Structures are given as structure tokens and as C-alpha cells.
Amino acid sequence: MDILTSMLSEEAQEEPSEVIEVEGDIDPHFDIPNQGKILIISNDQSYLTHGIHKFPAKFFPELPRYLIRKYSNTCDIVLDPMCGSGTVVLEALLNKRVAIGIDIDPIARLITRAKTTPIDSDTLSFAVQALTTQIQELINSSNYRPSIPEFHYRDNWFRSFVLQELAIISESIEILLSRHIDQGEWRNIDDFFRVILSSIIRDVSNADPHCTRTVLRKNVVKTISPGDTYKKFAETLINHCASMSELLKISKTLDFCDVRLPIGNAIETGLDDDSIDLALTSPPYINAVDYPRTHQLEMYWLGLVGDGPLSNMKRKYIGTETVYKDEYSHLRTSGFDSLDPLLKKIYSRDPRRSYIVFKFFEDMKDQLMEMYRVLRPKSYYCVVIGNNVIRGNLVKSHQILTEIATSDDVGFKIEKSFFSGVIRHFIKIPRRERIAGEWVLVLRKP
Ligand SMILES: C[S@@+](CC[C@H](N)C(=O)[O-])C[C@H]1O[C@@H](n2cnc3c(N)ncnc32)[C@H](O)[C@@H]1O
């Protein structure tokens, strides 16, 4: 048995053996037992606008839907402080809650806005027609040279005709916005077009399509021909116009639609004390996804990288791997029994990694304190978190977070925790271990 398999078995031994299997929605009256294990077979990954853009570690809608229905009431205020692509925000909207989403990542914010803003179908059809005409006009003007953004290794990431085609689409979107700038709804249309553009960038680039990180591999050669980028954009646009029209139809049946997407940070939300009825999130995994790097091509194309290097941006993310050398020149400890022995073990092999783990939990402690501040007394904070392996050590993030959240410094009580599984179809390991998943911590402010 190799070390990873043995660790997965160690983790599997801790998981409850009884699995409650549910296809689709979970009835909110159903109480998942403490330490229970649920396996959700999702039907709704692309329901309405949920499928508008890929996003690493995105929720299946059924899990946040269940938690929203279980732990909040109609018209309550539901916050996702690390909302990613906005699954919780859309589900809160559909369940008639006031939905607040915060994310530090500009692509995440753009996707969440587009995903949760219904657009009138006639206006959207008119806009799509205008965009198609504009793109065609630029293609036809043979002398036209669109401006192509400059970024590192640009010509390795994209073939030259792809650069040209993406630039024509991007400029056409800009031209239409400048023409309609005084029409309020055009901002929403512009977001929608930009998300569709963003959603195809990875596919038409030379990056490995099978890897979450954005990487080039010598042995991965994609077949992309001239004209494919336009074709892909047009097809994706048509598909998502249909999703948008479904969202519009449903949103008209709701009594209200209140989505707020303030600029902020999960640690300093700027929200009032005791103002939130339910908080629900999935924080980044430690050491797993470097969001700015993953979205770098999309951010360059959409002009979302600020001045300065990407590393400045990366440092602000919880779970960042961009750390300074002097920060890990000595072993850092936290005072938490479930964390410190692990930090020591990792430090003996890799001081930098040990500091990354320390910093993740330190930031998560501040994040938990911020949620404690903004939540109304007696309300819940549901945190969905997976375990991972770092330098050969299994990091039981759910146990460590429980210890931190219930410490005197933070003050939550743990109501329950349960394991939410997903089936990994492609991994050939014994059945029980094939179910990977995440722990759901249900915390309550006293
Ligand atoms: C696992 S993803 C969330 C995915 C989301 N549940 C969904 O369904 O799409 C974690 C998110 O945390 C965000 N994040 C990391 N650090 C943050 C911070 N300091 N403030 C706000 N968001 C942060 C990342 O940008 C990323 O979008």
C-alpha cells in the first residue's frame, strides 16, 4: 500500500461507514446525523446559470440549497464570505433570501454578478444580435488590427490567430458598452458577455484542459483551427442565453430578488455586527488551488490584473503559497493541540510548507472571528472543508477548524459535523475509499 492510499484509508476509517445516498434535493426537514455521511448525486450542476463558468472546488447546488433551507428562513440574510463562482448566492436568491456574496478574486466576483443578475430576454436578444454584427464588421475590415493585451508568455499560451479572434470579440464587447453606457442594463449585459468570453479562454488556449492549474505541457497538443474561437463563443453564448432566460422566468415568480456583492475580504467584510442570519462557505483548500494563477489568462484578457505582479495579488488570498523567506525562518506554533504537532512534523521536512499551513489556519481563525462578529446570536455558520495531504501528513482541516472555532478566542459552539461525499469515478481504489468528499461543520453563535 503506498503512502497516499494508506492515508486515504486512515481518513476513511474515521468516516462513518453508513452512507445516506440522496439523488437531487435533500429534504430540509431531514436531520443528517452528527458524524453521519451523505452522498449527494447531483442533478443540478448546470441548473439555470449554475453552469455559466467553470470554477475550482465549486459546490454542487444541492448541498448549499439544503443548508440554506435548513438553517435560515425566507427573507433572512445569507452571506457567503468566499463565494467563488456564486453557487450559494444564486441558491439564496432562488430560495427568497437576501443574498450577500464576497470574494477577493475579481473573476469570482464577475461570475457571481453575471450568474445572479437576470436580464430581460428581449434586451438580451437585441444585444446578442448587435454583438454578432459588430464582430462580423471587425472581421470583414481586413486592415483592422485589434489591440491584444500584453502579458508574460502570451504567444506560448495562444496561437496568433486565436489572439486575433479573442481580441476582436473583446473589442466588440467594449465598443457596444461604450455605445450604450448610459443604459443601466447594459452593464449587466456587458458582465454577461465578458463571462462568456472568459469561459472559453482556457479551451482555446494551449493550456492543458485536464489540469486545474493553468499549465502548458509539451505532450498536450490541442487542435484549434482559425474560426474555432468565434464558433465556440457563439455556441456558448446561445446556450447561456437560454439559461439566462430560464433564470429570468423563475426570478419573476419570486416576491423579491435582493443580491448584494460588496467589495471586501472574508476577514474584513465591512458588514455590521449581528446583521447576518446565516453564513455558509467553502474556504480554499490549503496547498490546492492558486486562484490567481488558475485564472491568470482570463484575468489578463478581461483587464482584471491590477498594477504590479500577480504575487502581490496572491498574498491576500486565504491559503496563499506566496510567502516571504523570513516568515518561515523559524517554526511557528498556534497553541492548538490538533495543529501544532503537525506543524512541527511538516517543518522538519519543509519549513516553508509548515508556515503556509500555519498561515492558513491563522487566517481562518480571523475569518471565523469575523463571522462571529457579523452573525446574529443563535444563528449558524456552515463551513464546508476538505482534508488534504501535505508533505506526507494528513491534515484533518475539519478537526483543526473545529478546535479553533470553538476556542475561547472565537466562541462558536459546534452543533454537528457530517461528511458529504462525491463519487470519484475514475480512481481505481476500493469502493469505500473511492468516495472522496468534504466535512460540513455546522457552527452556532451562542
Ligand atoms: C473553494 S472556493 C469557493 C467556491 C464556491 N463555493 C463555489 O461554489 O464556486 C474558495 C474561494 O475563496 C476565495 N478567497 C480566498 N481568500 C479570500 C479572502 N481573503 N476573502 C474573500 N475570498 C477569498 C477564493 O478567491 C475562492 O473563490
Side-chain angles (χ1 to χ4, degrees):
M1 196 155 46
D2 66 27
I3 184 148
L4 181 63
T5 314
S6 100
M7 250 169 312
L8 284 170
S9 331
E10 191 193 320
E11 189 180 13
Q13 273 160 26
E14 280 194 357
E15 292 162 18
S17 48
E18 281 284 305
V19 181
I20 306 159
E21 209 169 296
V22 185
E23 181 165 351
D25 274 354
I26 315 167
D27 180 346
H29 296 108
F30 176 64
D31 269 318
I32 301 172
N34 185 30
Q35 298 294 302
K37 181 173 189 171
I38 187 148
L39 179 66
I40 303 171
I41 299 157
S42 175
N43 290 335
D44 282 348
Q45 288 174 68
S46 303
Y47 175 55
L48 303 176
T49 43
H50 274 306
I52 201 168
H53 200 291
K54 284 188 188 151
F55 202 85
K58 187 163 143 177
F59 274 135
F60 287 172
E62 285 86 348
L63 179 62
R65 184 179 303 154
Y66 167 74
L67 295 169
I68 289 168
R69 290 176 179 170
K70 178 102 196 142
Y71 295 110
S72 71
N73 298 307
T74 309
C75 297
D76 273 359
I77 303 182
V78 174
L79 163 70
D80 185 342
M82 290 175 265
C83 68
S85 65
T87 317
V88 169
V89 182
L90 181 56
E91 283 301 320
L93 159 89
L94 296 172
N95 285 284
K96 301 191 200 176
R97 273 56 166 179
V98 177
I100 306 184
I102 293 177
D103 203 290
I104 200 165
D105 185 274
I107 290 281
R109 290 200 297 270
L110 176 67
I111 302 170
T112 303
R113 265 201 321 271
K115 188 183 266 187
T116 58
T117 310
I119 302 175
D120 173 72
S121 300
D122 291 341
T123 318
L124 189 56
S125 301
F126 169 81
V128 169
Q129 190 52 52
L131 181 61
T132 313
T133 310
Q134 183 59 54
I135 292 173
Q136 199 55 54
E137 230 170 71
L138 295 190
I139 296 173
N140 292 347
S141 51
S142 48
N143 297 332
Y144 188 73
R145 293 279 163 272
S147 75
I148 299 173
E150 295 282 346
F151 50 91
H152 282 316
Y153 307 111
R154 184 191 72 181
D155 300 339
N156 298 66
W157 289 116
F158 298 95
R159 293 165 168 85
S160 63
F161 61 83
V162 173
L163 286 171
Q164 180 81 8
E165 294 176 16
L166 282 174
I168 284 192
I169 299 171
S170 168
E171 281 202 1
S172 300
I173 297 174
E174 263 175 49
I175 292 171
L176 288 195
L177 177 66
S178 65
R179 245 183 241 156
H180 299 272
I181 194 88
D182 44 355
Q183 286 167 247
E185 197 165 29
W186 207 275
R187 285 261 168 227
N188 303 337
I189 293 171
D190 184 64
D191 283 344
F192 179 71
F193 285 164
R194 281 155 56 85
V195 166
I196 304 297
L197 173 62
S198 172
S199 76
I200 67 157
I201 285 174
R202 180 69 92 86
D203 289 341
V204 298
S205 74
N206 298 326
D208 183 350
H210 304 297
C211 188
T212 309
R213 282 179 304 128
T214 313
V215 286
L216 290 170
R217 292 192 203 284
K218 282 208 176 84
N219 56 349
V220 175
V221 181
K222 286 155 88 179
T223 3
I224 306 163
S225 311
D228 282 357
T229 304
Y230 295 132
K231 225 183 286 164
K232 180 127 199 102
F233 180 75
E235 281 166 10
T236 314
L237 187 57
I238 298 299
N239 284 341
H240 290 304
C241 281
S243 323
M244 186 49 88
S245 123
E246 288 298 307
L247 176 67
L248 181 78
K249 222 186 291 165
I250 293 208
S251 69
K252 281 184 177 161
T253 67
L254 304 172
D255 310 334
F256 73 95
C257 186
D258 189 348
V259 173
R260 305 174 195 169
L261 304 173
I263 299 283
N265 184 319
I267 295 173
E268 272 178 72
T269 58
L271 300 170
D272 291 341
D273 292 359
D274 303 337
S275 62
I276 301 296
D277 299 301
L278 168 68
L280 159 56
T281 206
S282 59
Y285 279 37
I286 327 166
N287 205 26
V289 182
D290 173 344
Y291 285 92
R293 185 166 169 210
T294 300
H295 293 144
Q296 58 181 312
L297 301 181
E298 292 81 355
M299 288 203 290
Y300 287 129
W301 273 102
L302 298 180
L304 294 174
V305 183
D307 295 334
L310 214 52
S311 56
N312 289 351
M313 199 171 181
K314 288 183 183 181
R315 272 182 236 284
K316 300 189 182 129
Y317 285 65
I318 293 178
T320 186
E321 296 195 2
T322 308
V323 293
Y324 295 109
K325 212 166 180 182
D326 57 351
E327 290 173 317
Y328 54 88
S329 57
H330 62 281
L331 172 67
R332 304 290 191 120
T333 51
S334 65
F336 293 109
D337 295 341
S338 53
L339 179 57
D340 286 344
L342 187 71
L343 293 176
K344 206 168 163 188
K345 264 202 219 162
I346 302 174
Y347 191 84
S348 66
R349 290 190 60 188
D350 186 341
R352 181 170 162 271
R353 281 286 134 205
S354 173
Y355 178 72
I356 289 169
V357 176
F358 164 81
K359 179 156 172 49
F360 172 80
F361 286 107
E362 190 182 57
D363 286 347
M364 280 306 296
K365 181 177 171 192
D366 290 344
Q367 205 287 316
L368 286 158
M369 288 166 83
E370 176 67 352
M371 289 303 98
Y372 190 92
R373 182 185 72 75
V374 301
L375 277 166
R376 176 177 61 67
K378 312 266 178 250
S379 55
Y380 294 93
Y381 184 20
C382 303
V383 185
V384 182
I385 181 96
N387 293 335
N388 50 357
V389 176
I390 294 179
R391 287 287 177 261
N393 297 282
L394 178 64
V395 181
K396 296 175 187 166
S397 301
H398 70 293
Q399 285 181 0
I400 301 169
L401 278 187
T402 305
E403 187 187 346
I404 298 175
T406 55
S407 66
D408 288 345
D409 287 352
V410 182
F412 280 109
K413 300 276 175 241
I414 178 99
E415 180 95 355
K416 71 162 81 159
S417 58
F418 61 88
F419 188 84
S420 165
V422 287
I423 296 181
R424 285 199 209 153
H425 292 288
F426 305 111
I427 295 187
K428 289 196 176 97
I429 46 178
R431 163 89 189 150
R432 234 165 82 65
E433 289 145 34
R434 216 187 315 144
I435 303 173
E438 300 177 309
W439 283 88
V440 181
L441 311 182
V442 181
L443 303 167
R444 190 166 200 197
K445 177 170 169 176

